[in-house]
Amino acid sequence: MSHPAPSPSRSPRPWSTVGAGLATVAACAVCCAGPLLALLGGIGAASALASLWIPALALVAVAATVGAYVLHRRRRASACKTTTEGPVDLGLPTVGTAPDGRAR
């Protein structure tokens, strides 16, 4: 079985399709390279800054933990102290007669 001969008016050009595809890929790379590099640069700068700040943040966290513990101990100690000795008037109504002598 023989293959049909290509028509003379239309010859196959596979390299022009590949060239158009490569041009499209190159245009996309040029278009998107700036924002992608900016994003990667921002991530790199943030990680470099974080590597400097992590020890400082660790110290702040330790100081905050110690401060919270000290405040908790002080409040607990002051809550246990009594300021008055003897009975304390709570302001509750008494059972009995009213001041004008009537029964309640």
Side-chain angles (χ1 to χ4, degrees):
M1 180 171 214
S2 68
H3 295 286
S7 67
S9 64
R10 187 170 170 125
S11 64
R13 297 183 188 162
W15 292 112
S16 63
T17 305
V18 172
L22 289 176
T24 304
V25 168
C28 180
V30 168
C31 174
C32 298
L36 286 176
L37 288 175
L39 176 71
L40 293 175
I43 291 172
S47 64
L49 183 63
S51 69
L52 298 175
W53 282 98
I54 291 296
L57 291 177
L59 290 176
V60 169
V62 168
T65 303
V66 169
Y69 178 73
V70 168
L71 285 177
H72 176 70
R73 293 281 304 219
R74 284 185 186 172
R75 287 181 183 172
R76 188 172 176 193
S78 67
C80 293
K81 290 182 182 177
T82 56
T83 56
T84 58
E85 294 182 14
V88 177
D89 182 26
L90 300 177
L92 298 174
T94 58
V95 179
T97 58
D100 58 0
R102 294 184 299 156
R104 291 185 182 180

